[in-house]
Every structure is written in C-alpha cells, then in structure tokens.
Amino acid sequence: MEVKVFAEVQLPQQRVYSSGVCFPLVLAPNPSSHVPYSFSEAIRAHNPWLQSRLHDAGAILFRGFSVKTASDFNDVVEAFGFDEAPYVGGAALRSNVVGRVFTANESPPDQKIPFHHEMAHVPEFPSKLFFFCEVEPGSGGETPIVLSHIVYERMKERHPDFVQQLEEHGLIYTRILGEDDDPSSPIGRGWKSTFLTKDKTIAEERAAKLGMKLEWLDDGVKTVMGPIQAIKIDQSRNRKVWFNTMVATYTAWGDARNDPVKSVIFGDGNPLPARIIYDCQKILEEECVAIPWQKGDILLLDNWAVLHSRRSFDPPRRILASLCK
C-alpha cells in the first residue's frame, strides 16, 4: 500500500551504510499511483510505516509533494500527530509564522551554524524536527545532517580519553543573554524570548525547571546549565549518541556578550582541548550529507539520531521549522 503512494528515490549526496540503510531516506510521490490522497492524508494513512522508516534511517526528505506555503507545511506537521515542543531555553532567534511553524535560525546569511542536536544543552529537548523550504537559497544554504552514533564511534576511536571524560563529567554551558533579542548574533535570543516572559520571577521558575541557574546582571542575565550529559544512550536503537552542542558552542556561540571558548567546559570545570574540538568538527564535516534545498522540500529529523547544521548562503532563502516532542 505504501509503495503506491510513496516512491523511494536516490540522490547522489545520500550515504548508504553497511546495514543497507540510505541516509537520509528520500521519498517522492509515486508517479504510477492513482490513490486520491492529499499529502497530509497519505501521511495519516501510512503514519506507522513512515515512523518505522524514520526510526531506521534517522531522517526523511520528502521531495516533490504539493507543499507551497507555511500553512501547507503546518498541515503536514499536524498530520504526523506529534505534540508540539515549546522552544524554552533555546538560543536561536525564531519568529512564529503560523500555527506550529516558526522561522529557522534567523542569524545572518554569511554565518555558518555548526552541527548540533536541537536544544541538547537543556534537559527538555524535541525528539523530532521538521524543516520546510519555502524559498530556495540563491546559493549555498544547505542543512547538512550527520548520524550521531557514527560521530560517537569515530570520536571514541580517535580520542578515547576525551570521550571517557565526557561520559564521566558531562558539560557545562554558560551564556550571557541581553534583555532583548540581538539579530546580529547566532545566539541572539534575549532572556524575555528565551523564557517567554517579561517577568524575572517567572523566568527564574522556568529556568529552574530546566535545571538552569540564573545570575542577573545590570543589562541581562548569565545562564549556567549543567553538568549535563554530552553522550546519551538512544534507548530505542540501543546505541550511544554524540548528544551535545559542544562544537557549535565552542566555535560559534560568540557575540558581544559571549566568549565561545568559555561558553562550554567539562562538567568538572576544566577547559575543553581546542585541538580535539576542531578534530570533532572535521569528523562531522567528513560524515555529513548536504542535499541542496528545493522549493517544497520537507526534511524530517529524529533529533535523537541526527545532528544538523546550516551552511552560509546568498539570499533569498526561507526555511521554516517545527519542533515536536
């Protein structure tokens, strides 16, 4: 039945692993199908099969379906039936577009966003991410993805002592937030947007629920998160994953308020070795898949399995996102 609606296609950028799994799985409308389903109806009709394929592959790219607007994208997200995940504690600037749909990170186009698991620096994070290409980039602007367990395995092989320290101590993330948003920064959310309130008391309550400490400053607040696990066990797949934002924080979480090198340290307070951080960055690039966006594309990621990033681009480019529990 699924084959009648969805056709599995191959793209040159995909990786095929020894298990036979294609990463990502790419699904398109089956040209021989005469089933009178809309895309959203097809998702609802075949949801268990789609979720099984997502579990196997870690990521699905839907290409060629009739998804043209933010509202269409919202319908697709709703069709999967996942609960919405609130963006409390996240660092990126995002604007609500419609329903459960937000802009992706609004940092300037010349800035790369390094690999990370979404909201891995806080204990409550989404399990699924959707991205939708409303406007194709002029050039560049891919959203590279990489399987997290592959990164863990390569890092353990090359830097076993470092990985052992991460597993024992975890990481501490520190960030200084202004009161208001800073659109020039890749981590430009002010504390009001971060905690979805203008009330400091409510902000403290919401931070406490995340296990985050706040230190109020004259013109903002210092947030301290951790120690928090940097390597987790993906219980559904029974494997360890590189579940952190270490490389992104260390190499890119800098602005007028924040020194990225000081923004992430071992959970015991010791600094991270720059050489190993940049070697991890190299591994991430070596293992990633970057498929150029086409208008109407929807990329569904399992946040437990996959890290993602963003390459710099020439405008225009409009990628929308939705985060799910």
Side-chain angles (χ1 to χ4, degrees):
M1 185 67 156
E2 289 76 21
V3 176
K4 291 181 180 179
V5 181
F6 298 102
E8 189 171 337
V9 298
Q10 276 70 49
L11 298 177
Q13 298 88 355
Q14 284 172 292
R15 285 180 178 265
V16 181
Y17 290 95
S18 57
S19 61
V21 171
C22 288
F23 178 74
L25 174 67
V26 182
L27 296 178
N30 190 331
S32 62
S33 172
H34 301 292
V35 180
Y37 283 151
S38 71
F39 185 26
S40 294
E41 289 170 337
I43 291 167
R44 280 188 282 267
H46 305 295
N47 204 350
W49 179 79
L50 288 169
Q51 295 205 38
S52 174
R53 297 304 304 273
L54 177 64
H55 186 270
D56 292 341
I60 301 176
L61 174 64
F62 296 96
R63 173 163 285 180
F65 294 91
S66 182
V67 186
K68 298 178 181 179
T69 67
S71 183
D72 293 341
F73 175 45
N74 190 70
D75 291 343
V76 169
V77 174
E78 293 280 2
F80 274 92
F82 303 124
D83 291 334
E84 183 175 10
Y87 193 59
V88 178
L93 288 177
R94 302 179 187 272
S95 304
N96 184 237
V97 178
V98 60
R100 296 169 55 169
V101 173
F102 288 76
T103 55
N105 191 318
E106 296 176 6
S107 62
D110 62 327
Q111 296 181 2
K112 295 181 180 179
I113 300 173
F115 284 98
H116 60 285
H117 282 279
E118 190 67 31
M119 297 177 69
H121 60 289
V122 292
E124 295 182 13
F125 49 84
S127 69
K128 308 291 188 300
L129 315 175
F130 289 88
F131 294 100
F132 165 60
C133 180
E134 187 177 44
V135 179
E136 285 183 31
S139 65
E142 298 93 341
T143 300
I145 54 176
V146 61
L147 283 168
S148 190
H149 74 286
I150 299 293
V151 179
Y152 170 78
E153 289 167 3
R154 288 201 58 188
M155 284 295 291
K156 188 174 182 182
E157 180 182 353
R158 289 175 68 158
H159 304 290
D161 293 342
F162 174 77
V163 171
Q164 184 176 348
Q165 282 183 281
L166 277 184
E167 296 199 69
E168 288 179 3
H169 302 297
L171 293 169
I172 295 174
Y173 298 93
T174 302
R175 187 161 61 96
I176 297 174
L177 289 64
E179 184 172 329
D180 299 311
D181 294 344
D182 176 5
S184 70
S185 169
I187 52 167
R189 281 188 112 199
W191 68 260
K192 292 179 180 178
S193 295
T194 297
F195 299 110
L196 307 178
T197 182
K198 296 180 180 180
D199 187 316
K200 289 184 178 181
T201 302
I202 294 175
E204 289 174 352
E205 291 172 355
R206 290 178 177 170
K209 287 182 180 178
L210 295 173
M212 183 183 291
K213 304 178 186 71
L214 300 186
E215 300 174 20
W216 293 101
L217 309 172
D218 291 341
D219 60 348
V221 64
K222 179 180 180 181
T223 67
V224 180
M225 184 71 239
I228 190 168
Q229 285 179 301
I231 294 163
K232 295 183 184 290
I233 297 176
D234 178 354
Q235 300 283 1
S236 71
R237 298 175 178 88
N238 193 32
R239 64 194 186 196
K240 290 185 177 181
V241 289
W242 192 255
F243 203 92
N244 58 71
T245 62
M246 180 185 73
V247 168
T249 305
Y250 193 95
T251 64
W253 277 21
D255 58 17
R257 299 173 182 273
N258 294 276
D259 177 353
V261 172
K262 297 178 181 178
S263 294
V264 58
I265 58 176
F266 280 119
D268 62 0
N270 286 313
L272 299 176
R275 176 183 62 85
I276 295 178
I277 301 297
Y278 284 99
D279 193 44
C280 182
Q281 185 178 45
K282 182 181 177 183
I283 288 170
L284 287 159
E285 290 292 344
E286 288 172 353
E287 294 292 341
C288 80
V289 171
I291 298 174
W293 283 110
Q294 292 185 10
K295 180 177 172 59
D297 282 351
I298 291 179
L299 180 62
L300 169 57
L301 303 182
D302 186 327
N303 194 37
W304 273 100
V306 176
L307 301 99
H308 66 281
S309 65
R310 186 198 78 182
R311 291 183 176 166
S312 57
F313 62 93
D314 292 323
R317 177 189 188 266
R318 185 169 166 88
I319 304 297
L320 305 180
S322 187
L323 311 182
C324 304
K325 291 182 177 179

